[in-house]
Amino acid sequence: VVGRALVHMASRADKRREVSFISKAYLVVYNVVLCIGWGYVLAGAASYCWSHRPEFGSHVPGLYDTVGASLRVFQTAAFLEVIHCAIGIAGSSVTLTFLQVFSRLLVLWGVVHYVPAVSSTFGLLLILFAWSITEVIRYAFYATSLLSALPYALQWCRYTFFYVLYPIGVLGELMLIFSALPIVGAGGLFSFTLPNVLNWAFDYYYFLLLIIFLYIPIFPQLYGHMISQRKKVLGGQKSKAD
């Protein structure tokens, strides 16, 4: 009986190790693919800026046509990270991850994609550079961490660049939402009134206003979380070196 129990325990341990290996291999592939994908988005945005430098200004006509397809693919794929956290193969907070992914998907699909006039405003350029640089660093950080090959320079970038990139990204997102408000209000995009089959009304204009106000309490929390993580990771290493 004891022998069978030991064999059963060993079998379960082997299965756990197998699942752990599969999860790790999957996460490595996921992070490498997303890192390359965001690098492609970044290269497309940089190429656009270089080719349009003579007439560069507050509007960026054609930028979304250049990078829009790849931007939609790789940003939408980030929703998988919410699932990763929910099923336990990633250690991040489900709530924080959902808030970050949801805000980006709302701006991308609910504003930039379905309000075409907004896609030529300067806010798009801000989010493109802020998001793509952030994600190239972040996915490279995760991939090398999983492979136990994380260089300190990449770790430093991961926990330092957000000081500038995060506010730039939020500024770009808010600029895009504000630019979309009059168009959404005039056209009634995604809105429906009573009476209807569902027997409830929804006004997308006021929903976007609510999202804008939610940035006030949420942004400081997420920003503060990153600052505390930086102190924990880089501050700890500094104290050990001292």
Side-chain angles (χ1 to χ4, degrees):
V1 174
V2 174
R4 284 199 299 271
L6 290 174
V7 170
H8 180 65
M9 290 173 62
S11 176
R12 289 177 61 186
D14 289 339
K15 288 181 179 178
R16 281 197 298 270
R17 281 194 294 270
E18 182 180 353
V19 171
S20 177
F21 173 78
I22 293 173
S23 299
K24 183 176 180 179
Y26 161 74
L27 289 174
V28 169
V29 172
Y30 171 82
N31 285 291
V32 168
V33 170
L34 269 291
C35 180
I36 295 171
W38 278 104
Y40 180 77
V41 173
L42 177 59
S47 175
Y48 173 91
C49 290
W50 178 257
S51 62
H52 289 75
R53 65 190 184 281
E55 67 271 14
F56 206 69
S58 60
H59 283 76
V60 285
L63 176 57
Y64 189 64
D65 294 332
T66 302
V67 300
S70 53
L71 176 62
R72 291 192 297 273
V73 168
F74 296 113
Q75 182 54 65
T76 305
F79 190 78
L80 289 172
E81 294 171 33
V82 180
I83 300 174
H84 296 166
C85 297
I87 64 178
I89 63 174
S92 301
S93 163
V94 178
T95 302
L96 288 177
T97 302
F98 174 79
L99 289 174
Q100 291 173 320
V101 173
F102 172 76
S103 67
R104 285 197 182 184
L105 291 179
L106 175 65
V107 170
L108 175 57
W109 286 100
V111 175
V112 176
H113 188 68
Y114 284 105
V115 187
V118 171
S119 65
S120 62
T121 61
F122 195 72
L124 177 64
L125 188 63
L126 291 182
I127 68 166
L128 274 175
F129 278 104
W131 291 4
S132 58
I133 295 172
T134 296
E135 299 300 51
V136 167
I137 294 172
R138 186 170 71 93
Y139 288 118
F141 170 85
Y142 287 144
T144 53
S145 296
L146 287 165
L147 296 171
S148 301
L150 174 65
Y152 177 77
L154 182 58
Q155 185 179 49
W156 185 88
C157 290
R158 164 73 174 130
Y159 290 104
T160 304
F161 280 24
F162 78 91
Y163 275 120
V164 176
L165 295 175
Y166 201 176
I168 289 175
V170 168
L171 175 62
E173 292 168 19
L174 290 174
M175 287 174 65
L176 290 167
I177 296 174
F178 272 114
S179 298
L181 282 176
I183 302 172
V184 170
L189 180 68
F190 299 143
S191 302
F192 45 90
T193 58
L194 293 170
N196 57 62
V197 177
L198 297 176
N199 200 33
W200 64 287
F202 175 76
D203 195 313
Y204 190 53
Y205 176 88
Y206 288 105
F207 175 73
L208 289 180
L209 282 178
L210 174 62
I211 293 298
I212 290 172
F213 283 111
L214 287 177
Y215 272 82
I216 298 173
I218 293 176
F219 169 70
Q221 291 185 45
L222 295 177
Y223 200 61
H225 173 72
M226 287 300 297
I227 292 174
S228 64
Q229 287 295 104
R230 186 182 195 277
K231 290 178 179 178
K232 186 186 301 182
V233 175
L234 299 184
Q237 290 194 356
K238 184 177 179 181
S239 62
K240 286 180 183 179
D242 295 341

